[in-house]
């Protein structure tokens, strides 16, 4: 009959500027797509060079190496007899564009530039790329000579066009264009495009998957059609984690769901769908037909190729599914854990060091690292050779095979409770018990000597001895004494991060983990250069409310019973003297005091337990 098409989309864990590695992952995705019977393969945004190249986009070498990868893709027998849609930067008439390059059998069919740029929040695409502003227009793009030698083409179409195969019509969107109010798919669908594709570089935020799925559903609910979304996965170089969620939809129904969090570098999704379902769905809606009769046409690039076959009458089609969402607590457990794994293996450090105070925030970070170890062990048990290779490289043991998350956590996570005379037995014990349950290598240095030494320098110079308020000192004295403790903890954390593995006869250094949540950052309730200052902070975009929900999730699902007392304990910085061995300083009181103090500009923060600081 020639009406059923098998299409493939994928999630790839690409690295910025890792051209050889990115090439191999692209080829692997195409190979899997062909094995599954697909005749069209869609990849994520800027997959050839990696999305997070930042100002390296300004370098001509980035585009040169992208074309070198494209050369290898065109030459590879893996890419034969399948339409391949890849993302890369292209310079056209001395203007840099974020493009889709679509090719088939050593011929480039179309270079489609991005028309709507992401330039808010985490994104700065207008710094590196220019949007294509010529709607429904194409120009001739002169190919590099290395590409001309392979394709036999001097020029190819460049611009806002669609592909017309023998049996259907396809149109491309790129990431942000799906989120725009005037998305290109609207007019493309009215002009008869039946298959929409979107190569994305969309990062993870809590609860964002709901919005992404709703957008894809609404796209094909209103206008009919098939929608393929391909998204990056992993941390490709920066603070963002791209969370996959690739999917395929038809007429408002999701038929294939990709995983949101995974340590797999390559995931390929395929669906077999009936084009007649699209045509009947559209023809049934009178208002759509009237709008379609008035829409200006897109330029069609004709392709002598069919996505369907003539003997597909008995070929089964993909059925609608119900999208399975993660709860926010599950997202915290999985998303930051995957991000930490990518960051660690790409930094080639020996693990993490976490100042663990026994409070909610630092305990949440410890649990995220523990969740990472669980994911690694599960991936190794499932036969993921790449994860096993990375683990062995990190621990420096070519024969090591992780069996239990606690065992791996002891190798990768060092926790450090930095006690002073103001620290209580309760917080010390909570930190110790949690470290035992997750398996971290735990240390409890007393830093009073360092604190007294710093204060001694001040006393030697000024002749003054500052006192806490409870001992008769003034407000400035009280605050200064607290901040000395907090800031010395940062210095000691970095010292132990650099030398603790060396002291144990192990190679490498450790990345220091921070534990400041987003509420404190927005409130300004933190100390400069204390333990909140770190190499990376996996909870920097998460609210305290969500973190408390995550702690409860870990109690229920990871059986970390030590967290129960941490969750119920009043938050306290423990920077002021104890009263009869008991904590006298609580965050809620200090925050209330600071709200009424007009002199407070930035408060002091230690693991979510705060005290104001004056400037």
């Amino acid at each position: 009959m020639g009406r059923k098409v098998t299409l493939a989309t994928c999630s790839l864990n690409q690295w910025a500027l890792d051209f050889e590695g990115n090439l191999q992952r692209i080829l692997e995705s195409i190979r899997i797509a062909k094995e599954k019977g697909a005749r069209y393969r869609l990849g994520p945004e800027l997959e050839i060079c990696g999305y997070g190249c930042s100002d390296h986009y300004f370098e001509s070498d980035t585009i040169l190496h992208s074309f070198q990868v494209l050369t290898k893709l065109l030459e590879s027998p893996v890419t034969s007899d399948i339409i391949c849609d890849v993302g890369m930067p292209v310079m056209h008439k001395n203007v840099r564009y974020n493009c889709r390059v679509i090719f088939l059998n050593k011929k480039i069919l179309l270079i489609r530039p991005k028309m709507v740029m992401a330039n808010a929040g985490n994104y700065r695409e207008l710094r590196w790329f220019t949007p294509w502003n010529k709607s429904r227009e194409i120009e001739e793009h002169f190919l590099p000579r290395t590409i001309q030698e392979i394709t036999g083409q001097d020029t190819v179409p460049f611009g806002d066009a669609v592909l017309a195969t023998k049996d259907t019509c396809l149109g491309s969107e790129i990431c942000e264009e799906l989120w725009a109010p005037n998305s290109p798919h609207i007019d493309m669908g009215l002009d008869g495009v039946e298959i929409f594709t979107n190569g994305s570089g969309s990062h993870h935020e809590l609860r964002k998957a709901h919005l992404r799925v709703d957008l894809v559903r609404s796209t094909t609910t209103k206008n009919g059609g098939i929608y393929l979304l391909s998204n990056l996965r992993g941390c490709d170089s920066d603070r963002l984690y791209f969370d996959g969620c690739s999917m395929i939809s038809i007429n408002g129904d999701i038929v294939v769901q990709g995983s949101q969090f995974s340590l797999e570098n390559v995931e390929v999704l395929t669906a077999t769908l009936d084009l007649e379902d699209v045509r009947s769905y559209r023809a049934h809606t009178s208002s759509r037909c009237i709008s379609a009769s008035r829409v200006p046409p897109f330029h069609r690039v004709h392709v002598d190729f069919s996505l369907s076959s003539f003997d597909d009458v008995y070929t089964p089609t993909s059925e609608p599914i119900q999208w399975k969402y993660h709860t926010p607590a599950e997202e915290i457990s999985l998303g930051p854990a995957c991000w930490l794994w990518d960051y660690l293996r790409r930094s080639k450090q020996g693990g993490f060091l976490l100042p663990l105070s026994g409070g909610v925030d630092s305990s949440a970070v410890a649990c995220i690292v523990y969740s990472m170890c669980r994911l690694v062990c599960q991936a190794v048990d499932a036969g993921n050779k790449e994860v096993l290779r990375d683990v062995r490289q990190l621990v420096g043991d070519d024969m090591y095979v992780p069996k239990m998350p606690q065992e791996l956590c002891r190798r990768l996570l060092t926790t450090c409770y930095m006690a002073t005379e103001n620290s209580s037995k309760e917080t010390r014990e909570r930190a110790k018990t949690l470290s035992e349950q997750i398996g971290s290598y735990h240390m409890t240095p007393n830093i009073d000597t360092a604190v007294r030494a710093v204060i001694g320098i001040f006393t030697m110079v000024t002749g003054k001895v500052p006192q806490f308020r409870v001992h008769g000192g003034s407000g400035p004295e009280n605050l200064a004494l607290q901040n000395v403790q907090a800031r010395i903890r940062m210095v000691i954390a970095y010292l132990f991060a650099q030398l603790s593995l060396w002291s144990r006869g192990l190679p490498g250094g450790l990345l220091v983990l921070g534990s400041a949540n987003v509420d404190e950052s927005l409130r300004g309730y933190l100390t400069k250069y204390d333990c909140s200052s770190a190499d990376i902070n996996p909870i920097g975009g998460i609210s305290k409310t969500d973190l408390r929900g995550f702690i409860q999730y870990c109690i229920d699902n990871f059986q970390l019973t030590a967290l129960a007392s941490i969750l119920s304990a009043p938050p306290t910085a423990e920077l002021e003297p104890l009263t009869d061995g008991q904590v006298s300083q609580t965050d809620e009181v200090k925050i209330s005091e600071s709200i009424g103090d007009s002199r407070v500009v930035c408060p002091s923060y230690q693991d979510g337990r705060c005290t104001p600081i004056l400037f």
Side-chain angles (χ1 to χ4, degrees), residues 179-387:
W179 303 74
N182 59 338
S183 296
H185 69 256
I186 298 172
D187 284 344
M188 286 194 294
L190 293 174
D191 191 36
V193 173
E194 296 175 331
I195 301 172
F196 310 104
T197 64
N198 188 314
S200 286
S202 180
H203 72 285
H204 171 241
E205 290 180 0
L206 289 182
R207 304 172 181 88
K208 183 178 178 180
H210 294 74
L211 181 56
R212 189 184 293 137
V213 172
D214 287 346
L215 281 171
V216 172
R217 276 179 172 157
S218 64
T219 294
T220 56
T221 298
K222 294 187 300 180
N223 209 358
I226 299 168
Y227 203 100
L228 280 71
L229 178 74
S230 172
N231 193 26
L232 290 165
R233 169 185 291 155
C235 165
D236 78 340
S237 71
D238 206 347
R239 296 174 299 167
L240 301 184
Y241 178 77
F242 300 102
D243 61 338
C245 278
S246 296
M247 67 187 86
I248 301 177
S249 168
I250 181 172
N251 298 339
D253 292 320
I254 303 294
V255 293
V256 180
Q257 173 184 354
S259 58
Q260 187 173 12
F261 308 108
S262 173
L263 302 188
E264 294 287 340
N265 286 330
V266 177
E267 180 186 37
V268 178
L269 312 173
T270 59
T272 300
L273 301 167
D274 195 334
L275 294 173
E276 287 300 319
D277 288 341
V278 174
R279 293 160 187 165
S280 61
Y281 184 93
R282 288 178 168 178
H284 183 71
T285 307
S286 175
S287 59
R288 183 213 163 267
C289 294
I290 295 171
S291 298
S293 67
R294 296 193 296 257
V295 70
F298 283 78
H299 177 85
R300 278 165 163 72
V301 177
H302 294 277
V303 183
D304 188 17
F305 187 74
S306 296
L307 297 184
S308 60
S309 60
F310 287 103
D311 56 351
D312 61 7
V313 64
Y314 296 112
T315 302
T317 56
S318 302
E319 295 295 325
I321 63 170
Q322 189 69 32
W323 190 276
K324 297 179 181 178
Y325 294 98
H326 291 290
T327 65
E330 288 174 333
E331 290 191 64
I332 297 172
S333 172
L334 298 171
C338 292
W339 178 74
L340 283 179
W341 173 248
D342 273 352
Y343 205 104
L344 178 60
R345 66 193 181 105
R346 292 173 186 180
S347 69
K348 301 190 184 303
Q349 295 297 298
F352 302 109
L353 182 133
L354 171 66
L356 182 62
S357 68
V360 168
D361 292 333
S362 64
S363 297
V365 174
C367 291
I368 289 171
V369 178
Y370 178 69
S371 177
M372 180 199 79
C373 294
R374 286 170 54 92
L375 291 174
V376 170
C377 290
Q378 291 168 5
V380 171
D381 289 343
N384 191 317
K385 295 181 180 180
E386 292 175 325
V387 172

Side-chain angles (χ1 to χ4, degrees), residues 516-527 540 544 587-605 610-613:
N517 64 63
V518 73
D519 293 335
E520 291 149 355
S521 298
L522 294 174
R523 172 74 172 79
Y525 215 73
L526 53 87
T527 296
K544 190 81 168 190
D587 287 352
E588 285 80 0
V589 173
K590 290 297 178 182
I591 292 174
S592 298
E593 291 175 355
S594 71
I595 291 174
D597 190 343
S598 61
R599 297 171 299 160
V600 173
V601 178
C602 177
S604 172
Y605 161 82
C610 316
T611 180
I613 177 174

Side-chain angles (χ1 to χ4, degrees), residues 101 131 145 302 415 466 575 591:
V101 179
R145 276 179 285 186
H302 294 277
T415 50
L575 296 172
I591 292 174

Side-chain angles (χ1 to χ4, degrees), residues 56 67 70-71 87 105 135 147 149 175-176 241 251 253 268 306 319 336 352 400 416 454 464 515 571:
H56 289 289
F67 270 108
L70 180 62
T71 298
N105 292 334
S135 178
I147 303 293
E149 292 172 359
C175 197
E176 182 73 9
Y241 178 77
N251 298 339
D253 292 320
V268 178
S306 296
E319 295 295 325
F352 302 109
Y400 176 66
C416 185
V454 172
K464 300 288 186 179
S515 55

Side-chain angles (χ1 to χ4, degrees), residues 120-175:
N122 292 308
Y123 297 99
R124 302 178 67 194
E125 290 181 359
L126 285 176
R127 176 176 174 85
W128 307 301
F129 300 107
T130 299
W132 181 256
N133 291 313
K134 302 175 183 179
S135 178
R136 293 179 175 82
E137 293 185 25
I138 64 168
E139 297 176 355
E140 292 299 308
H141 177 75
F142 284 84
L143 295 171
R145 276 179 285 186
T146 54
I147 303 293
Q148 293 178 18
E149 292 172 359
I150 299 169
T151 65
Q153 301 165 288
D154 294 331
T155 63
V156 295
F158 184 102
D160 185 20
V162 298
L163 298 182
T165 64
K166 289 184 175 181
D167 50 357
T168 188
C169 190
L170 303 92
S172 292
E173 289 188 323
I174 306 176
C175 197

